[in-house]
Amino acid sequence: MSLKNLLFWLWCGLASAAVGQSYNFTNYSVIDGLAQSQVTRIAQDRRGDLWLATQGGGVDRFDGLEFYNLRKQDSLPSNFVLDVAEDHAGQLWFATSNGLVAYDGRRFGPIFFQDTTVTRLLEDTAHQLWVGTTEGLFVLDSARQTVRAVHTAATDEKAPVRSLLLDAQGQVLVNFPQEGLFRYWEGQLKPVVLSNAERGYIQAVLLDRTQKLWLGTTTGIYVQQPNASFQQEHFFPTHEIEEDTAGNIWFATSRGVFRQRAHAFVRIDDPLNGAYVEDIFCDREGNVWLASSGAGIYKFMGDRFAFVDHTNGLPHDVVMTVNKDTDGAYWFGTSAGGVSRLQDGEIEHFSMADGLGSNAINCSVLDSLGQIWFGTRGGGVSRFDAATGRFITYAADDGLAYRVVYCGLLDADRKLWFGTHNGLSVFENGTFTSFGAGEITGIRSLCRWENDALLVQSEQGFFVFRDGTFTRHPLSEQMPHTDILSIIQGPAGDFWFAHYGDGVFRYDPASGRLQQYTEAQGLTSGLIFSLVFDYQGNLWTGTERGLDRLRFNPDHQLQQVTHYGVAEGFLGVEANEKAVYLDDDSTLWFGTIRGVYCYHPGYDIQNGTPPVTTLTDLLLFYQPTDLSPWSDTLAGWYPFPRGLSLPYHQNHLTFRFRATSLADPKGVRYRFMLAGFDSDWSPAHAQQEAVYANLAPGDYTFLVEAANADGVWNRTPQRFSFQVRPPFWHTVWFYLLMAAATFLLLWLVYRYSIRRKLQEVLALEQAKTEAVERVRKELARDFHDELGNKLAGITVLSSLLRVKLNGSARGETDHLLGQIEDYSTSLFKGTKEFVWALDPKSDHFEEMITYLKDFGEQFFAHTPVTFVVKDDLLNEASAVVLPPGWSRQIILIFKEAMTNCLKHAQAQHVWLDAAITDGTLRIRLTDDGVGMAQPAGFQGNGLKNMQHRAKGIHCRVSIAPPTGSGTRVTFSGHIPQKR
């Protein structure tokens, strides 16, 4: 045995005892819907879904969120499935213990090799299907009609096929474990490498991207460089080999799963709890999947995050602080398990037995001598003495302000400060000095301030501590201070605050400006436990929902939020207060409730593979419908109609679609449009259906595309074209018939009218003249009777009143006054509309708005529409007087708008609001109806009249959708100043 291999065996023997970072895997088992826990093989179809062959549960399709099962009762030949392959036509082939069968998404085809165990499948470049069985090797031709035997066992010996693959020239490589690896060339199987006693049986074969040939055998791992002989690399019995998209080689061995990256051969299956891995598969997005025998499947979450928890040596998973000493050792303080040190791959634990003041740790700080200090919850502060390997604890008897310590800080003068529950303490020259006991309590955060001062956050507010004096800072009144969990100084000299509930605050001491960032700006959560800036100037926040990376522009406006949660490999989920550390190599350490997690930015690679979008269903009036009577054929994995032509009354369509991104299934977003109906794409969303109601006759094309969680969209959208036929009365021939009939009728009417025109014209003109004269006389008489007489009566009564007041009885005076009031009331009621328009008071903003309000309430009173007026609408600049003529035109505009809303909008609510800002009057009528598309110019007489009226008073009317759905009519105009 070579020295290299001897050292490797020694390393393997120690590997189980060594402790280091673990890698993230997500497990999917029967609890999640997997049909059976023993998965033998993984494949992926062209839609991005995984197909899982199981030992007894049939085959499962998995889209990253849900499992869909096919079993024997669905016509699968057997529930024991050994392999899955997709051919060039999109059919799936299942190799079972009872033969081979094809599946097209709807039904199963005929069974080949019935009563035979089929082990492996491969389609070659000529579309022939190679079939490996326990009886030998066979080929199914491209038409799937003829089976040809390539190699079979002797009558007393079986020749099971273990592996099938294509080389760079498209030639088939076949592995018979008991015989060896063969290449099919010129109609014959020619040996590549034979099995023997030294090498053992070949169980796995891989031809990697560099054309190196890897063999996994019962005695180890062998590799052959092009044009070279085989060399043994490792001595583990290996039964599966796979290459990922980064060129790393994965091995399933008798000692677990290993990965070889560059020259490092590392065991990577710690979280699998010893599960036996049957298959390794790398999907189209680069995700690595492990099929296990008894534990379902595992998804490798990548190298972006690694972790340390109780499974690999941490005594307690709730990590409250992370630090690193000058020797390169990492220190983790836990909430109940004391302190752990990670150095050279090993973890060492320290507790109260080793001198710690308490096993409940709150914070840590490195002093100027490189010594690590821990603040505890009830045991003061403890300093690690490297010489003795024990801790030295300081409490109240040593001058510490209080035994509960929340935070620590090393200032510019190398003084060590601790914030406690009852004051501030400094350690200098071997002794403690305390300040603010009984006055400044609950100090949870400390930060360096300008001029060698400290910013202190306490229960009483923010204070600047300088020369032994606390000075209250105005920030105490500008932001909530009691729930601040962390304060850090940014690269620009500004200060950043983590708030428990209100997000992140930024304070610029130079300008005094305070900014706040919350969920409204894109944060995943407003509960911020920790803050840290990386070396690229990005701010990281630790929350109860994972991590957010915030990217700002030079004006500190939030440009991008990148979230890291379970789907991204951050399985710790909830971060802890101030538990974050930025290492020199840009890695970030986060203490969480599930251990400590390390983020490696070099492995944070964007997923550049867009999901494949598939149309899955088409519903009519929300119901599944047989569309074959209106289409040429049904085709595709999901039976979708081709050449669909719907009758005019079948015009309510629901399109359903899906796209699979196994990297982050919940992060997939969709957008769609219906060409011929929509003018633009819909906003991006997670909804997997689109509904179109009451489609007019015409030709349409539905387009849908999807993006993965990193925002990479499909290069080509999925398309589906169809038409809605018009009713017969909207067809061309019907229009021509109606035009001919109309022309004939008009001609007859014209002939008739000509004969009578001469007779009627004089009588008509005379009648018009008499009618005009009669109307003029009636108007004059009515005006005289309605206004003149009553005004005359008011005059006479007023004269009599004047006489009576000179000495008449009081009772008569009251009677005459009553008559005057009656006449006045009658006159007002009879001429209210006319008088209101003539009255200058109608130019008052308040009068005009009151009129609109009353009209709207009466207009919508007996309709399904709820009319809502802004509460303080009448208080908005009620003293403003509008220019003459404005009130009448505005009322006519919004009467028209309300009428259109009731007739066309199909709304449930209509809102009226108005405001005067900087001399500009804006009145808006908003509904939540179906909305309308407004082209470059106004369409329809009503809309043109509205625009014409607005232009007549030098104002404008705009019609546009508000945020969401519906329509908004906005009147705006500048009120000229009186001179």
Side-chain angles (χ1 to χ4, degrees):
M1 183 182 296
S2 67
L3 177 60
K4 175 184 175 181
N5 290 330
L6 176 62
L7 292 174
F8 174 76
W9 275 103
L10 290 174
W11 177 86
C12 293
L14 295 173
S16 60
V19 180
Q21 300 175 23
S22 291
Y23 296 89
N24 292 323
F25 287 87
T26 298
N27 177 234
Y28 301 93
S29 65
V30 292
I31 298 176
D32 305 293
L34 182 64
Q36 211 268 343
S37 64
Q38 295 173 293
V39 181
T40 58
R41 198 74 169 169
I42 304 175
Q44 188 173 33
D45 64 23
R46 63 189 59 190
R47 290 164 295 279
D49 295 334
L50 293 185
W51 289 85
L52 312 174
T54 73
Q55 294 185 29
V59 64
D60 273 347
R61 176 174 67 84
F62 182 51
D63 62 7
L65 296 172
E66 296 183 80
F67 291 90
Y68 306 86
N69 182 248
L70 294 172
R71 290 176 177 261
K72 193 172 181 179
Q73 54 263 40
D74 302 307
S75 298
L76 192 67
S78 170
N79 286 334
F80 290 84
V81 183
L82 288 86
D83 200 7
V84 181
E86 184 181 36
D87 67 15
H88 68 285
Q91 286 194 117
L92 286 172
W93 292 82
F94 302 129
T96 78
S97 62
N98 188 32
L100 172 69
V101 69
Y103 180 68
D104 65 1
R106 291 169 286 169
R107 62 184 67 89
F108 286 93
I111 300 175
F112 297 89
F113 306 102
Q114 196 162 10
D115 299 326
T116 300
T117 298
V118 180
T119 57
R120 287 294 180 265
L121 302 172
L122 174 72
E123 187 178 44
D124 65 17
T125 55
H127 304 320
Q128 298 180 111
L129 188 65
W130 292 70
V131 183
T133 75
T134 55
E135 306 294 333
L137 179 64
F138 303 85
V139 175
L140 188 59
D141 70 346
S142 58
R144 307 299 187 248
Q145 299 292 328
T146 305
V147 175
R148 174 170 57 89
V150 176
H151 176 79
T152 59
T155 56
D156 59 344
E157 182 183 3
K158 291 182 179 295
V161 175
R162 173 75 182 183
S163 307
L164 288 170
L165 65 156
L166 292 176
D167 65 12
Q169 291 74 40
Q171 295 173 343
V172 177
L173 295 176
V174 187
N175 173 31
F176 302 98
Q178 298 177 12
E179 300 179 46
L181 181 66
F182 294 81
R183 175 180 282 108
Y184 187 77
W185 184 43
E186 295 181 346
Q188 293 183 337
L189 287 173
K190 299 190 176 182
V192 176
V193 56
L194 298 175
S195 300
N196 56 39
E198 179 181 356
R199 188 178 293 117
Y201 293 148
I202 300 174
Q203 301 186 96
V205 183
L206 171 70
L207 190 64
D208 69 18
R209 64 184 63 186
T210 65
Q211 297 305 302
K212 285 194 294 187
L213 185 61
W214 296 80
L215 302 179
T217 78
T218 54
T219 63
I221 300 170
Y222 296 81
V223 62
Q224 182 190 46
Q225 299 282 352
N227 304 317
S229 59
F230 280 96
Q231 299 293 326
Q232 187 166 11
E233 289 285 316
H234 306 294
F235 291 83
F236 295 157
T238 301
H239 55 272
E240 183 61 35
I241 308 176
E242 177 66 294
E243 182 181 23
D244 64 23
T245 54
N248 305 312
I249 309 299
W250 294 67
F251 306 90
T253 77
S254 61
R255 289 179 174 263
V257 176
F258 289 80
R259 179 180 64 178
Q260 181 161 313
R261 179 164 55 192
H263 299 292
F265 186 73
V266 179
R267 183 173 179 178
I268 203 167
D269 65 345
D270 290 348
L272 305 188
N273 299 318
Y276 183 82
V277 173
E278 294 274 5
D279 187 29
I280 305 174
F281 177 77
C282 182
D283 68 26
R284 59 191 294 270
E285 296 174 278
N287 304 297
V288 175
W289 298 81
L290 308 180
S292 77
S293 178
I297 60 173
Y298 290 85
K299 175 186 173 184
F300 178 59
M301 304 303 293
D303 296 292
R304 179 189 292 156
F305 287 97
F307 67 93
V308 180
D309 65 2
H310 70 278
T311 64
N312 52 5
L314 204 62
H316 194 271
D317 278 345
V318 181
V319 177
M320 302 302 296
T321 182
V322 183
N323 219 319
K324 183 180 180 182
D325 65 22
T326 54
D327 293 327
Y330 296 94
W331 293 82
F332 312 129
T334 69
S335 68
V339 173
S340 296
R341 178 176 62 182
L342 174 62
Q343 189 171 27
D344 298 329
E346 295 187 359
I347 288 185
E348 186 177 3
H349 310 302
F350 301 90
S351 65
M352 293 177 67
D354 302 294
L356 267 177
S358 170
N359 286 335
I361 308 299
N362 280 336
C363 64
S364 65
V365 61
L366 201 66
D367 66 18
S368 60
L369 300 176
Q371 300 176 111
I372 190 83
W373 294 67
F374 291 93
T376 72
R377 191 166 60 251
V381 295
S382 299
R383 174 176 60 85
F384 181 70
D385 185 357
T388 64
R390 291 180 58 83
F391 281 90
I392 300 172
T393 296
Y394 302 85
D397 294 341
D398 303 295
L400 189 66
Y402 197 72
R403 65 180 183 274
V404 178
V405 180
Y406 294 120
C407 55
L409 173 71
L410 182 68
D411 70 10
D413 296 328
R414 298 187 174 184
K415 297 176 184 178
L416 203 57
W417 297 85
F418 295 97
T420 78
H421 188 66
N422 188 28
L424 178 68
S425 295
V426 60
F427 184 78
E428 185 180 15
N429 299 324
T431 61
F432 277 96
T433 305
S434 296
F435 306 90
E439 298 177 358
I440 309 298
T441 60
I443 300 176
R444 301 192 73 93
S445 297
L446 296 173
C447 188
R448 294 183 183 180
W449 196 251
E450 54 192 8
N451 300 325
D452 298 329
L454 296 179
L455 180 63
V456 179
Q457 178 263 328
S458 70
E459 293 174 343
Q460 290 74 30
F462 295 99
F463 294 87
V464 174
F465 180 80
R466 181 183 289 112
D467 299 331
T469 302
F470 291 93
T471 302
R472 187 175 179 85
H473 195 277
L475 275 174
S476 302
E477 283 68 44
Q478 297 177 26
M479 62 184 289
H481 59 267
T482 55
D483 291 323
I484 296 295
L485 301 184
S486 180
I487 305 174
I488 65 171
Q489 189 170 14
D494 45 5
F495 293 87
W496 298 77
F497 301 82
H499 191 276
Y500 188 73
D502 290 336
V504 177
F505 290 85
R506 173 188 173 267
Y507 175 70
D508 183 2
S511 63
R513 183 186 180 192
L514 185 68
Q515 293 173 270
Q516 184 181 8
Y517 307 92
T518 66
E519 293 98 323
Q521 285 77 42
L523 270 64
T524 302
S525 171
L527 275 65
I528 311 299
F529 293 103
S530 60
L531 297 172
V532 65
F533 277 96
D534 62 23
Y535 293 126
Q536 287 72 44
N538 302 310
L539 179 65
W540 291 75
T541 65
T543 77
E544 91 287 3
R545 298 180 186 174
L547 306 176
D548 280 347
R549 184 181 64 195
L550 314 183
R551 184 167 296 165
F552 300 89
N553 65 14
D555 295 327
H556 297 99
Q557 294 177 335
L558 187 56
Q559 283 189 314
Q560 183 183 26
V561 178
T562 304
H563 178 68
Y564 297 88
V566 173
E568 293 75 26
F570 186 71
L571 305 184
V573 182
E574 182 174 318
N576 284 326
E577 180 179 346
K578 301 183 189 67
V580 60
Y581 177 78
L582 174 63
D583 212 340
D584 296 335
D585 62 356
S586 297
T587 58
L588 284 166
W589 295 77
F590 296 93
T592 77
I593 61 172
R594 299 176 64 182
V596 60
Y597 278 73
C598 179
Y599 167 77
H600 299 280
Y603 295 117
D604 192 357
I605 302 171
Q606 184 188 50
N607 179 13
T609 304
V612 179
T613 310
T614 305
L615 287 167
T616 61
D617 208 352
L618 178 60
L619 309 181
L620 292 181
F621 296 94
Y622 300 110
Q623 299 297 322
T625 307
D626 180 12
L627 300 174
S628 57
W630 305 308
S631 59
D632 298 336
T633 183
L634 299 177
W637 182 268
Y638 297 98
F640 232 71
R642 298 290 186 267
L644 181 64
S645 180
L646 294 169
Y648 72 94
H649 58 282
Q650 300 291 343
N651 60 349
H652 188 295
L653 278 66
T654 300
F655 297 91
R656 289 181 175 172
F657 40 83
R658 57 182 290 266
T660 300
S661 175
L662 297 174
D664 185 359
K666 294 182 179 179
V668 175
R669 292 295 179 266
Y670 303 90
R671 59 188 181 194
F672 58 82
M673 70 176 297
L674 184 61
F677 183 87
D678 294 322
S679 60
D680 201 356
W681 290 90
S682 70
H685 53 76
Q687 185 177 347
Q688 293 182 314
E689 69 175 24
V691 180
Y692 289 91
N694 198 28
L695 289 176
D699 294 326
Y700 299 95
T701 299
F702 180 74
L703 301 95
V704 59
E705 57 185 11
N708 62 25
D710 287 333
V712 179
W713 291 89
N714 300 138
R715 296 177 181 86
T716 303
Q718 186 76 13
R719 295 171 174 267
F720 172 70
S721 297
F722 66 100
Q723 72 168 192
V724 177
R725 299 193 305 271
F728 74 90
W729 58 86
H730 282 174
T731 58
V732 174
W733 64 266
F734 185 81
Y735 288 151
L736 293 174
L737 180 62
M738 289 298 101
T742 302
F743 177 80
L744 178 61
L745 179 61
L746 291 175
W747 184 80
L748 293 175
V749 171
Y750 175 75
R751 292 285 297 174
Y752 176 76
S753 64
I754 289 296
R755 289 196 300 266
R756 298 194 56 185
K757 187 172 183 180
L758 292 176
Q759 301 174 1
E760 295 177 352
V761 65
L762 293 176
L764 180 61
E765 290 296 325
Q766 182 65 29
K768 287 182 179 180
T769 302
E770 293 175 355
V772 170
E773 292 293 333
R774 185 167 57 253
V775 169
R776 290 177 63 187
K777 291 179 182 179
E778 289 176 357
L779 287 174
R781 183 174 59 252
D782 292 345
F783 182 82
H784 176 269
D785 293 343
E786 189 68 23
L787 295 177
N789 291 342
K790 291 182 180 179
L791 289 174
I794 292 172
T795 303
V796 173
L797 291 172
S798 298
S799 299
L800 292 175
L801 176 60
R802 188 179 300 110
V803 173
K804 295 295 181 178
L805 288 175
N806 289 332
S808 181
R810 179 71 181 185
E812 293 180 356
T813 302
D814 293 338
H815 177 69
L816 292 174
L817 288 173
Q819 286 184 296
I820 292 173
E821 182 180 358
D822 292 340
Y823 279 128
S824 299
T825 301
S826 175
L827 179 61
F828 174 77
K829 291 181 178 178
T831 61
K832 181 179 179 181
E833 185 79 21
F834 180 71
V835 170
W836 187 89
L838 295 179
D839 193 344
K841 289 177 62 178
S842 66
D843 294 332
H844 284 256
F845 175 80
E846 181 179 10
E847 287 284 331
M848 183 268 295
I849 288 297
T850 302
Y851 189 95
L852 277 179
K853 174 178 177 295
D854 294 341
F855 176 81
E857 290 173 348
Q858 294 175 11
F859 186 76
F860 293 106
H862 301 291
T863 72
V865 180
T866 302
F867 182 68
V868 181
V869 181
K870 181 180 176 183
D871 292 338
D872 58 343
L873 192 59
L874 297 180
N875 297 326
E876 294 280 352
S878 59
V880 174
V881 178
L882 304 176
W886 276 39
S887 296
R888 177 170 177 79
Q889 299 303 331
I890 291 172
I891 287 169
L892 292 174
I893 287 170
F894 281 93
K895 280 185 176 181
E896 179 71 27
M898 292 182 192
T899 302
N900 289 339
C901 178
L902 184 61
K903 290 171 61 180
H904 306 296
Q906 304 177 25
Q908 297 181 356
H909 298 85
V910 176
W911 296 270
L912 177 68
D913 65 276
I916 299 177
T917 306
D918 297 330
T920 298
L921 170 62
R922 286 185 177 84
I923 306 175
R924 299 186 301 180
L925 187 72
T926 307
D927 67 67
D928 58 358
V930 297
M932 63 174 289
Q934 179 184 348
F938 284 84
Q939 301 294 323
N941 290 332
L943 299 180
K944 289 181 179 179
N945 289 339
M946 292 165 65
Q947 181 74 353
H948 179 73
R949 293 182 185 280
K951 288 183 178 179
I953 56 176
H954 305 291
C955 299
R956 63 187 298 269
V957 171
S958 62
I959 302 177
T963 302
S965 62
T967 304
R968 173 175 290 162
V969 178
T970 303
F971 171 90
S972 60
H974 183 73
I975 303 173
Q977 299 292 327
K978 292 185 178 180
R979 297 181 179 177

